[in-house]
Amino acid sequence: MLFTSMEVDGQGGWFDVLHTDEPEKWQDALVWIKNSVIGNNKQKLNAINHGVIPRLLQWLVDKDAPQQIRTDAAVVMGSIAKGTPENINTLVEEGCVSVLLKGLFSTDLPFIEACLRCLRTIYMSNNNCVNLIYQDPNILAHMVNILPQSLCTQECVANILANACKMPVLKCLAVIVKDSEENCVVSYTAMHNDIPLPDILVTLLHRDKTSEMQISAAKVLAYMCGGGALSPQDPRIAMKNVDGAETLGYLLETDADLQRTAAVSDHIIKTLADYLKYTDVAAAAIRCLHSLSRSVQLLRTTIQDHGVWKPLMKCILDCGAINILVGLAGRQDPGLRLNGIWGLMNLTFQVEQKVKSCVVEAIGTEQLFRLLSDPDPNIVMKTLGLLRNLLSNKLHIDSIMLVYGNQIMQAVIFILEGEHPPQVKEQTLCILSNVADGDKAKDFIMGNEDVLKKLMNYMLHLNVNLQIAATTCITNLVWNEEEGAFTRQAKLGEMGIKALLQKLLSTTDSVLFEKPYLCLYN
């Protein structure tokens, strides 16, 4: 196997190949990196600095990736773990332990062994990840099951468990009561020196105890609550939950490292979502979620996956958020106006129709036009973004246009005829495209020759983004699979739009080319 050209490439070379769109080279790159980092701390650090760890993690979680690549990725990670303590800290901070533990559930023995070897090295050198092995009770049971598969699994599992059992009583109790109503009830009735077990656990939450003990005791109480042995209204639970959520929110607010840790926790977001159901705990949960929302990764992954937005949206709406935001959008201060309309725009993203209708009724036509005339272009853009969110989903488009269609079309014409930068015009044309995507709403465009002529003008504009937006609107109007398409095609053909579409086929822009091509040949 030859590595010549990129091997002599200095600091980049094969490390950079991992991040390219050339999958045929990934295996060679992994083999080279695997060989280069063995016993070489300098190369291990070099690999970390070139962003190898996140790329390895991507392969480890991608079950569709070639199995050999996934195995080699785990091997490279295991070799990096055998470097300096700083290397192991980096692996733990990047969330490698949780990913490797999940890798143990694979059916491929070489891959399992590679994951175990890396975990063994980490657990024998680092105490910061002890709790991760107890987050899912299935992990312990599965590790016991894979013990007899090979000498490697026996040795690795034994070492991992030996180093993970630093607080066996509380952690064992957590595993026993998790997801078992019967065990929760039995634990609730247990006594020691006439003191109920829940009261003993509460004393272990005091600040004179180690943080590890406090967390473990809190976990057992939470599981007992989830299993029905303790009521969420029990002061031993409710007030500790409030304290916990508020403290966690405070810690997470400005600490990026803690936010990364929260990102690999399977329980935080789900638990906070459950808290939103209770009025006496909801405020603390919202404060904590607000701190977590500073992480874009959490917003786009875990928070979205657990459907937190549903109970959160209800809390926001019940508190009169729409009227508050509409009020802010009408204030003198431009910063308040911007945040008010920005909030309304976010509030209407992919929500049910009744929420959209409430927003439209609250803001009214007069205030909408004021905002579209605002001297601050950011406010104009967010107002257009609000309109675009309102006019999404076919059923919502037709329903809203049926009631407010004339006002919305006036707003569109108002912007298109005004002196505005290209991005504002583009957003307005995108709104028209949404209108054209409705079943009945199309008539508002087809019945207005002035708007159709404006679309034709923008199809020939010097700005390619405006051309794309205008042509997208025409595509929605003439799409063959929708009722009345042939009538609309005939009218637009008479206006000369077909000739414009044919002219656009000569464009060198691939995105723009696709639009007229679809119109003419769909």
Side-chain angles (χ1 to χ4, degrees):
M1 188 176 295
L2 299 176
F3 299 103
T4 52
S5 61
M6 281 183 278
E7 185 178 4
V8 298
D9 207 19
Q11 294 299 312
W14 287 102
F15 294 123
D16 297 330
V17 173
L18 301 187
H19 303 285
T20 67
D21 294 326
E22 301 177 275
E24 70 279 2
K25 296 182 180 180
W26 292 342
Q27 184 67 59
D28 288 347
L30 273 173
V31 171
W32 184 88
I33 293 169
K34 180 172 65 174
N35 293 332
S36 71
V37 298
I38 294 175
N40 189 328
N41 284 345
K42 183 178 179 182
Q43 280 291 68
K44 295 181 200 293
L45 181 60
N46 198 14
I48 292 173
N49 291 338
H50 276 84
V52 165
I53 292 175
R55 188 67 180 105
L56 298 178
L57 286 173
Q58 288 175 356
W59 276 318
L60 290 180
V61 299
D62 184 4
K63 295 181 180 179
D64 295 327
Q67 193 59 50
Q68 188 59 52
I69 282 186
R70 298 183 74 207
T71 302
D72 284 343
V75 171
V76 172
M77 195 173 289
S79 184
I80 292 174
K82 291 181 179 178
T84 65
E86 289 75 18
N87 290 1
I88 293 180
N89 289 336
T90 301
L91 290 171
V92 173
E93 290 167 4
E94 293 283 351
C96 296
V97 174
S98 293
V99 174
L100 290 166
L101 288 170
K102 291 177 181 177
L104 301 183
F105 290 87
S106 170
T107 57
D108 186 81
L109 183 57
F111 178 66
I112 293 172
E113 291 179 340
C115 291
L116 279 172
R117 283 193 291 269
C118 186
L119 285 167
R120 175 197 57 193
T121 303
I122 293 173
Y123 270 88
M124 291 178 71
S125 306
N126 190 293
N127 294 324
N128 296 330
C129 52
V130 168
N131 286 328
L132 295 177
I133 205 170
Y134 299 101
Q135 286 188 344
D136 182 353
N138 295 321
I139 291 176
L140 285 174
H142 184 69
M143 291 180 77
V144 173
N145 288 334
I146 63 176
L147 257 170
Q149 291 194 17
S150 70
L151 289 174
C152 175
T153 59
Q154 292 172 29
E155 188 267 330
C156 290
V157 169
N159 274 289
I160 292 168
L161 292 180
N163 285 276
C165 293
K166 302 297 184 183
M167 292 192 63
V169 177
L170 280 175
K171 288 176 179 174
C172 180
L173 184 59
V175 173
I176 290 172
V177 300
K178 188 174 188 291
D179 299 326
S180 173
E181 293 183 10
E182 182 180 354
N183 289 345
C184 283
V185 173
V186 172
S187 299
Y188 178 76
T189 59
M191 307 275 284
H192 178 68
N193 293 335
D194 296 326
I195 302 175
L197 177 59
D199 290 343
I200 296 173
L201 292 169
V202 169
T203 64
L204 298 179
L205 297 173
H206 294 167
R207 300 198 178 200
D208 61 337
K209 309 300 182 190
T210 65
S211 59
E212 188 178 11
M213 184 177 292
Q214 292 179 56
I215 292 170
S216 297
K219 186 181 292 186
V220 177
L221 283 170
Y223 291 160
M224 291 177 71
C225 180
L230 280 172
S231 166
Q233 281 72 40
D234 188 307
R236 291 173 295 190
I237 291 293
M239 298 318 296
K240 292 299 180 184
N241 286 346
V242 172
D243 291 343
E246 290 185 337
T247 303
L248 183 61
Y250 174 79
L251 292 171
L252 289 167
E253 187 168 6
T254 57
D255 194 312
D257 289 335
L258 285 179
Q259 288 172 9
R260 278 193 289 271
T261 302
V264 299
S265 170
D266 294 333
H267 299 290
I268 292 178
I269 304 298
K270 182 179 183 301
T271 303
L272 291 173
D274 291 337
Y275 286 0
L276 293 174
K277 300 173 185 176
Y278 309 109
T279 55
D280 54 350
V281 189
I286 291 172
R287 280 192 288 272
C288 190
L289 284 168
H290 179 263
S291 296
L292 287 167
S293 69
R294 294 177 180 272
S295 165
V296 176
Q297 180 188 357
L298 280 173
L299 272 177
R300 294 178 177 174
T301 55
T302 315
I303 291 179
Q304 185 174 352
D305 293 341
H306 286 292
V308 173
W309 67 269
K310 293 180 181 179
L312 193 57
M313 176 69 81
K314 185 178 185 305
C315 291
I316 291 172
L317 294 176
D318 289 347
C319 291
I322 292 176
N323 289 329
I324 293 171
L325 292 171
V326 168
L328 288 174
R331 298 287 286 273
Q332 292 284 337
D333 183 271
L336 292 177
R337 289 202 307 278
L338 175 60
N339 281 282
I341 195 64
W342 201 332
L344 289 169
M345 183 188 78
N346 290 339
L347 200 64
T348 54
F349 180 70
Q350 295 183 354
V351 294
E352 54 191 12
Q353 185 179 330
K354 67 179 182 181
V355 176
K356 293 182 179 181
S357 298
C358 289
V359 171
V360 174
E361 291 174 11
I363 196 167
T365 305
E366 184 178 342
Q367 185 172 359
L368 186 65
F369 274 95
R370 278 202 307 272
L371 290 165
L372 289 173
S373 306
D374 201 283
D376 187 336
N378 290 322
I379 293 175
V380 176
M381 282 293 286
K382 298 306 176 188
T383 307
L384 292 170
L386 167 63
L387 284 174
R388 193 172 176 181
N389 285 347
L390 292 170
L391 295 166
S392 60
N393 183 310
K394 276 183 179 291
L395 294 176
H396 295 183
I397 293 169
D398 286 331
S399 177
I400 289 176
M401 290 299 291
L402 180 65
V403 180
Y404 302 101
N406 290 330
Q407 295 93 320
I408 289 173
M409 292 303 291
Q410 288 175 21
V412 167
I413 294 170
F414 177 74
I415 293 294
L416 291 179
E417 291 182 346
E419 294 294 327
H420 295 285
Q423 61 267 30
V424 171
K425 298 287 184 77
E426 180 187 1
Q427 185 82 313
T428 308
L429 291 170
C430 288
I431 292 170
L432 272 182
S433 295
N434 284 15
V435 173
D437 193 41
D439 291 328
K440 300 296 183 184
K442 287 179 171 67
D443 295 340
F444 282 93
I445 299 176
M446 293 303 301
N448 192 321
E449 289 199 7
D450 182 41
V451 171
L452 291 174
K453 288 177 181 177
K454 284 181 169 57
L455 286 172
M456 293 174 68
N457 289 336
Y458 282 109
M459 288 170 68
L460 298 176
H461 202 279
L462 294 177
N463 186 302
V464 70
N465 291 330
L466 295 180
Q467 287 182 284
I468 291 170
T471 312
T472 300
C473 184
I474 297 298
T475 302
N476 289 344
L477 290 173
V478 301
W479 194 248
N480 276 339
E481 297 178 6
E482 297 183 345
E483 185 180 350
F486 295 114
T487 302
R488 291 190 294 273
Q489 289 171 10
K491 178 175 180 178
L492 293 172
E494 291 173 2
M495 295 182 67
I497 283 184
K498 184 175 182 180
L500 291 180
L501 292 171
Q502 290 172 332
K503 185 175 181 180
L504 288 176
L505 290 175
S506 62
T507 181
T508 57
D509 187 281
S510 59
V511 178
L512 177 58
F513 174 83
E514 184 183 51
K515 304 299 180 181
Y517 185 85
L518 284 174
C519 285
L520 293 168
Y521 303 111
N522 68 358

